[in-house]
Amino acid sequence: MRASGIIVSVLLLPLLSACSGGGRQREAAVLFATEAGEPEAPLHYDLHEIQQSGTIVAGTLSGPDTYYEYRGRETGLQFELAEAFAQSIGVRLRMEASPDTASLLVRLERGEIDFIALDMPGWRTFGEGSLLAGAIAEWHTPERVARIREQTAVLTTYTVRRRMRPAMQDAGRGVISAYDDLFRRHSATAGWDWRLLAAQCYQESGFDPEAVSSMGAQGLMQLMPGTAEAMGVPEGRCFDPGENVAAAARYIRRVSQAFGDVDEARERICFTLAAYNGGAGHVQDARMLARKAGRNDACWAEVAPFILRLSDPAYYRDPDVRHGYMRGSETEAYVRLVMERWEEYRRCARPFAAGSTPAPARRSLQDGEYRSRVKRPGEWTPQGRDGEPADSL
C-alpha cells in the first residue's frame, strides 16, 4: 500500500484508559507520520468521537472562580459548567489545569484537550466550525451560566448541617462525648491518642452522627462518599457512628503515611490534619514552596504560611505547584483549632480511661471475695509527665 514519493499517513488509534474512571489517554504529538518519520497534524476529536470515547477533556486555570479541589471534591465555576455540559452530551469530564492561558492554547493546538473552559469570552475549541463548537455555542447560554454560577456559589460556601453537642460532656468524670468508646477502640488504627480523634470529630461534626456538609461529607468524621467507599464503608452505612469512625481511622493512617519523612510525631499529626481537611496534594505543594523559600518543610509552623499563600495566584500558579488553588485559611484554622482542643481534652480526660467505659479497676477483698472497684479521679497515680505515657501521641 506504499508508493514511492507518496506520503503515507498512518493513523494511530486513540487509546482508552484502563482505569475505572474511563478517562481517555491522549497521544500528544505524533498522530500521523510521514515517509520521513516527521510528525504531522495532531488528531482533534470532534463531538461524535468524544461521545464514542466516553470522555471529554477540558483545560482551564486553577483558581477560586475556575477550578480547584476542595475536601476531596473538584469544584469551581468552570468545573461545574464543564461537568454540566459533559452530562448534556452523555460523557464524563476530565478537567486539567494549566499555569497560564498560553499553555492552554498550546495544549488545544496539540489536541491534548478538547476545549478551554474559561471566560475569554466563552469557551474555545479547535476549529470553530466543528460539531463540538456548535454544541458548546448552543449549550453555553448566559441564562444557563447564571443559574450554575448561583448554584456553585452555594456549593462552594462550605457549611455543615449539624446539631452541635457540648464540647465536653462531663469534665469532672473525664467524659468527652457519647462516642468515647469508639475513639478509644479505633485510636490504635489511626496511631493517635483517642482524645485527638475526639477533638477532630468535634471540629468536623460537633459529635452529630447525622451531620451533612454542603459538599456531601457525612457523619461524625465528615467522610466524603468517595473516601468512605475507598475505606470499605458499606453503601448506606456512612452515618453509622462505628462505621464512620473506623473508616476515618483507616483514612488517617493512610494520609499519615504520605508524611513518613516527618520524624517528629506532633509535626506529622499537624500535616495529617491539614491533609484530611484540605488534601495531601495541596499540603505537599505548600511544603515544596517552603523548601524553595529555605524553610523547614517538616515543621508545620514554617509550612503553614505557605498553606495560606496557596490562595494567592502568585503562589498557586507557580510552575512547581501541582494542585493549584487551595482555601488555605480554612485548613490553617482547622489544624490550629483541633490541636488546641486536643490540649483541652488531655487536661480533662485520662489517656485510656474516660467516657462510659469504667476506668481500670483494682481488686479489693470484700466479704471474703475479690471484687472490682472503680477508682475515683483523685486516686489516679500519674504514669509519666502530665500523667500519661510518653507514647500517648
Side-chain angles (χ1 to χ4, degrees):
M1 299 296 294
R2 177 181 174 189
S4 176
I6 298 177
I7 295 177
V8 179
S9 296
V10 181
L11 175 64
L12 302 183
L13 296 176
L15 300 178
L16 295 181
S17 169
C19 69
S20 60
R24 187 164 78 242
Q25 295 293 326
R26 290 304 182 101
E27 291 297 319
V30 183
L31 294 171
F32 290 85
T34 65
E35 187 177 51
E38 297 176 351
E40 285 197 357
L43 177 67
H44 292 87
Y45 283 25
D46 206 345
L47 181 62
H48 62 288
E49 294 160 319
I50 290 170
Q51 291 174 319
Q52 185 177 10
S53 77
T55 303
I56 191 167
V57 185
T60 190
L61 302 178
S62 178
D65 299 321
T66 51
Y67 168 70
Y68 62 101
E69 292 182 14
Y70 182 57
R71 296 183 71 95
R73 185 188 186 281
E74 294 175 295
T75 189
L77 176 59
Q78 293 303 324
F79 172 80
E80 301 297 341
L81 287 168
E83 178 85 334
F85 173 70
Q87 291 175 358
S88 75
I89 62 172
V91 298
R92 296 175 179 173
L93 171 70
R94 189 169 87 234
M95 184 74 98
E96 299 183 358
S98 293
D100 50 51
T101 53
S103 301
L104 287 172
L105 292 170
V106 169
R107 297 194 69 191
L108 184 64
E109 180 75 19
R110 290 176 176 172
E112 296 175 15
I113 57 177
D114 295 311
F115 68 99
I116 297 174
L118 281 179
D119 251 344
M120 45 191 296
W123 291 347
R124 180 171 299 187
T125 64
F126 185 84
E128 295 305 314
S130 67
L131 293 174
L132 176 60
I136 287 176
E138 182 178 348
W139 184 90
H140 199 277
T141 64
E143 296 77 17
R144 180 174 280 114
V145 171
R147 184 173 69 253
I148 294 178
R149 184 189 300 274
E150 183 177 347
Q151 294 169 351
T152 302
V154 174
L155 183 65
T156 55
T157 301
Y158 190 78
T159 57
V160 182
R161 189 178 73 247
R162 58 189 177 183
R163 295 177 60 190
M164 298 288 289
R165 274 59 167 180
M168 191 79 186
Q169 185 172 316
D170 189 336
R173 294 177 53 225
V175 179
I176 296 174
S177 74
Y179 306 103
D180 290 0
D181 282 347
L182 291 177
F183 301 137
R184 281 194 297 271
R185 187 182 313 158
H186 299 294
S187 61
T189 299
W192 280 6
D193 177 0
W194 73 270
R195 296 163 298 182
L196 176 56
L197 282 179
Q200 184 184 17
C201 182
Y202 185 78
Q203 190 65 33
E204 291 286 353
S205 68
F207 299 135
D208 180 2
E210 301 297 324
V212 181
S213 81
S214 57
M215 299 293 287
Q218 301 172 343
L220 284 173
M221 301 297 286
Q222 287 293 277
L223 295 177
M224 294 295 289
T227 302
E229 182 181 2
M231 293 298 105
V233 177
E235 186 175 356
R237 297 281 291 171
C238 198
F239 290 105
D240 177 85
E243 296 279 4
N244 194 281
V245 174
R250 292 192 293 271
Y251 182 59
I252 287 166
R253 176 171 288 277
R254 176 180 294 185
V255 172
S256 181
Q257 291 170 350
F259 305 100
D261 59 327
V262 178
D263 295 329
E264 178 61 39
R266 190 178 183 88
E267 298 297 331
R268 191 162 58 252
I269 285 171
C270 290
F271 285 112
T272 302
L273 285 170
Y276 190 102
N277 176 264
H282 290 302
V283 178
Q284 297 291 16
D285 281 343
R287 295 184 69 195
M288 178 276 301
L289 291 172
R291 287 195 299 272
K292 288 178 69 171
R295 305 297 178 82
N296 181 1
D297 74 331
C299 174
W300 173 250
E302 297 197 36
V303 173
F306 295 94
I307 291 280
L308 295 171
R309 290 171 191 171
L310 280 173
S311 60
D312 182 342
Y315 289 89
Y316 68 71
R317 289 184 181 160
D318 182 296
D320 293 324
V321 169
R322 298 180 57 192
H323 297 86
Y325 171 84
M326 180 190 192
R327 294 169 67 163
S329 59
E330 178 182 308
T331 297
E332 188 275 337
Y334 179 88
V335 174
R336 174 167 40 82
L337 293 171
V338 171
M339 295 298 282
E340 288 174 357
R341 191 167 301 283
W342 180 34
E343 290 301 322
E344 294 176 11
Y345 286 167
R346 292 174 76 183
R347 289 193 293 268
C348 299
R350 301 298 302 178
F352 305 110
S356 58
T357 299
R362 69 183 185 188
R363 298 177 70 82
S364 60
L365 188 63
Q366 298 180 21
D367 300 327
E369 295 181 3
Y370 283 103
R371 298 180 183 175
S372 294
R373 184 172 72 83
V374 177
K375 293 182 180 181
R376 295 189 297 273
E379 295 180 303
W380 284 104
T381 301
Q383 303 174 34
R385 190 182 66 177
D386 297 328
E388 57 187 351
D391 60 350
S392 62
L393 295 180

